[in-house]
Amino acid sequence: MRVWSVANQKGGVGKTTTVVTLAGLLTEVGYRVLLVDLDPHGSLTSYFRFDPDEIERSVYDLFEQPALTAPQVNSLILKTSHESIDLMPASTALATLERKAVGKEGLGLQVAKALRFLQDRYDFVLIDSPPVLGVLMVNALAACQHLLVPVQTEYLALRGLERMVRTIEMVNRARRQKLTHTIIPTFYDRRTQASVSSLRELYQRYPDQVSGAVIPVDTKFRNASIKGLVPSSLDAGSRGVHAYARLLRQLLEVRKAGQSG
């Protein structure tokens, strides 16, 4: 089972779109996928028509009892409208976790512990994390083998990326195995100088980490979210889906290279 987390310390960069689109594309090549929503806003949960304000069981339950069991973890998983995509939903109660976590040890590994019970059930796990460095993002970083960092191609988003890069460096000082990451340019509009210059700066500053797949502005993403569908099932030929398909091919090639190395 491969775990990818999607994170950035700035909101509105396309994290949930990245999670949902990659999940849909992974299922098209036969993989079983679990999505984990660690964002108290619950955008990923809402995408699949579950209400974070009313949901009874969610990832919040993972932090209530330090000693997890397989039945407890499995009870949190919901079926989505997509046959091969399951969801471990968020609830708004996650917003209280930072305050409750004060003085408690070991909470940074709860998601990683939970996923160990699911090794044989899924091929990929994609984690959507909040745009705040705290116990939830720490869980997302600790649980994954590879980190995806969507970055909107505009000036302020690039400044926010600097904070995320520093966080990755901090995490790598504490990990036995280095956390690799891919920076994904999003909301690219080649008609605007701001987008073009921001993309150029990304490649100049992070030449080894920035994906060659650039995600364009595409209204088909919004249309898919309105219908609660993965974008590739709504319009497999859209520019945005093609860009994510290219990204996925690159990520899978890196995965194969790592397995053979």
Side-chain angles (χ1 to χ4, degrees):
M1 185 174 75
R2 191 72 175 165
V3 183
W4 293 342
S5 288
V6 181
N8 194 326
Q9 286 170 247
K10 184 182 185 303
V13 296
K15 291 189 289 85
T16 300
T17 297
T18 297
V19 169
V20 171
T21 309
L22 288 178
L25 292 169
L26 282 166
T27 64
E28 290 182 5
V29 290
Y31 291 117
R32 302 163 298 170
V33 180
L34 172 67
L35 306 183
V36 179
D37 191 354
L38 290 183
D39 192 338
H41 290 104
S43 296
L44 181 60
T45 300
S46 298
Y47 194 104
F48 289 102
R49 301 302 184 264
F50 298 103
D51 189 343
D53 290 320
E54 298 183 0
I55 204 158
E56 292 184 2
R57 298 183 60 78
S58 72
V59 291
Y60 179 79
D61 295 79
L62 297 178
F63 300 93
E64 288 288 90
Q65 298 180 8
L68 300 173
T69 65
Q72 179 190 11
V73 172
N74 279 283
S75 71
L76 304 180
I77 297 173
L78 301 175
K79 293 290 183 182
T80 73
S81 55
H82 196 293
E83 182 179 356
S84 299
I85 299 176
D86 290 347
L87 171 70
M88 193 177 290
S91 68
T92 51
L94 285 171
T96 68
L97 190 59
E98 295 297 333
R99 174 172 50 82
K100 294 181 178 180
V102 175
K104 293 185 179 181
E105 296 183 0
L107 289 185
L109 298 174
Q110 286 301 98
V111 172
K113 292 176 182 176
L115 294 182
R116 291 172 190 160
F117 293 110
L118 305 174
Q119 287 284 343
D120 298 328
R121 186 168 172 180
Y122 299 100
D123 302 300
F124 279 86
V125 177
L126 302 183
I127 302 175
D128 193 0
S129 70
V132 178
L133 180 56
V135 67
L136 291 167
M137 183 180 286
V138 167
N139 268 270
L141 299 180
C144 72
Q145 293 99 20
H146 191 71
L147 177 66
L148 306 179
V149 186
V151 180
Q152 188 174 356
T153 48
E154 57 95 12
Y155 178 77
L156 291 178
L158 266 60
R159 302 288 76 78
L161 175 61
E162 295 173 1
R163 294 195 301 274
M164 193 67 219
V165 170
R166 288 196 295 270
T167 296
I168 295 169
E169 292 171 349
M170 177 187 70
V171 167
N172 279 334
R173 288 195 290 269
R175 284 176 61 120
R176 293 181 181 178
Q177 186 173 357
K178 183 178 180 181
L179 176 59
T180 57
H181 66 281
T182 299
I183 297 170
I184 307 166
T186 60
F187 294 98
Y188 180 68
D189 187 347
R190 63 183 180 183
R191 298 170 299 179
T192 69
Q193 183 57 38
S195 226
V196 172
S197 60
S198 295
L199 181 62
R200 185 184 305 116
E201 183 176 348
L202 273 176
Y203 281 121
Q204 289 173 346
R205 298 187 64 177
Y206 309 100
D208 297 327
Q209 287 78 39
V210 179
S211 165
V214 178
I215 312 303
V217 173
D218 191 339
T219 58
K220 297 297 177 63
F221 291 136
R222 183 177 65 249
N223 296 342
S225 68
I226 290 172
K227 297 185 177 182
L229 300 172
V230 296
S232 56
S233 68
L234 180 70
D235 187 349
S238 71
R239 294 182 303 123
V241 169
H242 274 297
Y244 273 111
R246 182 183 178 193
L247 170 65
L248 181 59
R249 288 194 295 271
Q250 294 174 356
L251 293 172
L252 293 178
E253 287 170 3
V254 170
R255 174 176 178 249
K256 290 178 181 178
Q259 289 176 337
S260 61

